[in-house]
Amino acid sequence: MLLKAIIVILFIAVLISLSSALVFLMKDVGNPRKRTLYALGLRVILATALVGTIAWGIYSGQLTSKAPWDRQLHPERLAPQQPATQP
């Protein structure tokens, strides 16, 4: 559950950084746009951390897929069937 919270926080931080870069781009019309570049650089770092966190979650098994088409790709994840008893 902690991993999912970290992923949500990182995603929100990426959105905030992207929106702040847009605000800086609109406000700093005649300036060298240094704040915009810093905000976009921060977004790249946060996005890399987000992708790394998701990859680690999948690798460690904390994040799994419950999609119906995933059962066909990974039949070992299905619950084992009870063998039929013969009379």
Side-chain angles (χ1 to χ4, degrees), residues 21-40:
L22 178 65
V23 169
F24 294 151
L25 182 66
M26 294 298 156
K27 280 188 174 183
D28 300 340
V29 174
N31 294 339
R33 298 186 178 127
K34 193 174 194 179
R35 294 192 304 175
T36 304
L37 291 177
Y38 285 149
L40 291 176

Side-chain angles (χ1 to χ4, degrees), residues 67-85:
W69 56 83
D70 194 40
R71 292 185 192 126
Q72 295 169 355
L73 297 175
H74 303 286
E76 68 274 1
R77 291 186 184 171
L78 293 175
Q81 301 273 337
Q82 294 290 339
T85 58

